[in-house]
Amino acid sequence: ASFIALIFIVPIQYDTREELIKLARLIVILAVPVALYGLVQKLHGFSSFEIEYLKTGLSSEARILFAGQDYRIFSTLNSSQNFAKVMGMVGVLVLFSLREGKLNQMWWRLPGFLFFMGMAVASGSRTGVIMAVVAVLMLAVFRWKIVTLMFYLASVVALVSLILSADYLYRHNVLKDLERGLSEAVAKPGGLDYRNIQLVTLNARLRSLALLTNSDFWTPFGVGFAGRKDLLTSEGIHDVLTSFLVRMGYVPCGIGLIMLIYALSKIHRAHWRMERKSTDYRIVLFALAFAFCVVVGGMSATANLYTFPVNYFFYLFIGFGVAVGMMRRQEARLATKPARVQERPGVLMQPGRPLPA
């Protein structure tokens, strides 16, 4: 949570658009060796010191050491999930130019995007791929007011429908039956990696969402304040929505939701008033799309907002948007400030009195 300070630090440290673009470029450059090292792990397996690292239990990928567990690469990060998320997010950053007038660089941007996306797929974790797809979709949706409003409305309807049907889908193994059909369709030489079509693991997310239909989990200030911490240990929580509501309660979540709606309305209105081809427009658009994809990823992995480096990038790019807003406000203030009249030394200026020759 300490990374939330980046929302205030970025506008102070980076006061020009060029500095923000240079920082984004540095992120891409630093991600290249991370991706290449993941490729080495994929081709040659783990080295002895990486096996020793897994034995410490500091990584969730320690499960690889047990029989029957999938082999997943994690490069220099602590898990395959975070590796996939970083690759997906950086891939979108490569594909989308933050600078105006740079739309003719697809000869290297598209291959770069495909490379990072390929590494996200190779990790065996699907959340990073989903986040990248959502980010690209949001880069298109958030450009138009009517499309954005319709998308938000459809998202709310879909989320409520999923919550209400989660218990039914979980109890009747709908995802398991769907997975069986997909696995039979691709179970052939050269077919898709089975891990990338596994749906039964999403049952844990359905069970987590189904908790929202249980009144025991609806408390004013969280189950801990209500003296029901036993609910946290008896039921697994795998999505950020249920986690916030159960741990914090509906009063703080309700207030936060109102503040979020108000902030988003202000941000979108300011964004739509910008020149569509300007650098400001593109930076704010990317910040909105990036933040939304991280939240969507949190519906699959509740630790999305708490785990480095995903939380770092989340607040960093929100800081990008805040920095652009502060730059525009400062420029507007300077533009409306009246020009200062230069006075001659020793001449006292009075209102309405002409300057002596």
Side-chain angles (χ1 to χ4, degrees), residues 121-347:
V121 173
S123 71
S125 176
R126 294 158 299 182
T127 304
V129 179
I130 294 173
M131 289 172 58
V133 172
V134 169
V136 173
L137 178 63
M138 293 303 99
L139 289 173
V141 169
F142 288 153
R143 292 173 181 267
W144 296 279
K145 180 177 180 180
I146 185 63
V147 178
T148 300
L149 295 177
M150 291 177 61
F151 175 79
Y152 279 134
L153 179 60
S155 298
V156 171
V157 172
L159 180 59
V160 172
S161 300
L162 180 60
I163 292 173
L164 295 177
S165 61
D167 186 65
Y168 175 86
L169 295 174
Y170 173 74
R171 293 183 182 277
H172 290 79
N173 291 320
V174 174
L175 292 180
K176 186 175 182 179
D177 295 338
L178 181 59
E179 178 188 301
R180 185 183 299 112
L182 289 174
S183 62
E184 292 174 355
V186 300
K188 55 184 179 180
L192 295 175
D193 188 341
Y194 177 70
R195 290 171 299 177
N196 293 322
I197 63 169
Q198 279 185 312
L199 299 177
V200 70
T201 55
L202 297 179
N203 270 338
R205 281 71 178 176
L206 291 177
R207 184 181 181 186
S208 178
L209 287 173
L211 298 179
L212 296 179
T213 60
N214 187 341
S215 59
D216 291 340
F217 291 89
W218 286 76
T219 58
F221 298 99
V223 295
F225 189 84
R228 297 298 309 276
K229 287 187 177 181
D230 57 297
L231 295 175
L232 294 176
T233 57
S234 62
E235 300 288 349
I237 297 176
H238 295 273
D239 68 278
V240 68
L241 178 62
T242 306
S243 177
F244 280 170
L245 184 63
V246 172
R247 298 177 187 276
M248 300 176 61
Y250 57 76
V251 173
C253 287
I255 296 174
L257 179 61
I258 294 173
M259 295 174 62
L260 178 62
I261 294 174
Y262 175 76
L264 283 175
S265 64
K266 295 277 289 186
I267 293 171
H268 279 301
R269 284 201 298 267
H271 180 232
W272 291 324
R273 288 195 295 265
M274 296 178 185
E275 173 63 35
R276 294 181 66 87
K277 294 184 179 180
S278 67
T279 299
D280 290 354
Y281 182 91
R282 300 181 68 81
I283 291 177
V284 174
L285 176 61
F286 181 82
L288 284 168
F290 192 91
F292 192 87
C293 85
V294 173
V295 173
V296 170
M299 295 302 296
S300 174
T302 186
N304 226 32
L305 297 179
Y306 315 124
T307 308
F308 180 85
V310 179
N311 53 356
Y312 170 80
F313 287 130
F314 177 72
Y315 295 114
L316 177 71
F317 284 109
I318 291 179
F320 272 44
V322 174
V324 168
M326 293 184 66
M327 291 177 203
R328 293 176 64 87
R329 183 177 300 178
Q330 180 68 15
E331 292 166 355
R333 186 182 298 115
L334 293 176
T336 57
K337 188 176 181 180
R340 183 177 180 180
V341 178
Q342 293 186 352
E343 301 178 5
R344 289 186 179 182
V347 178

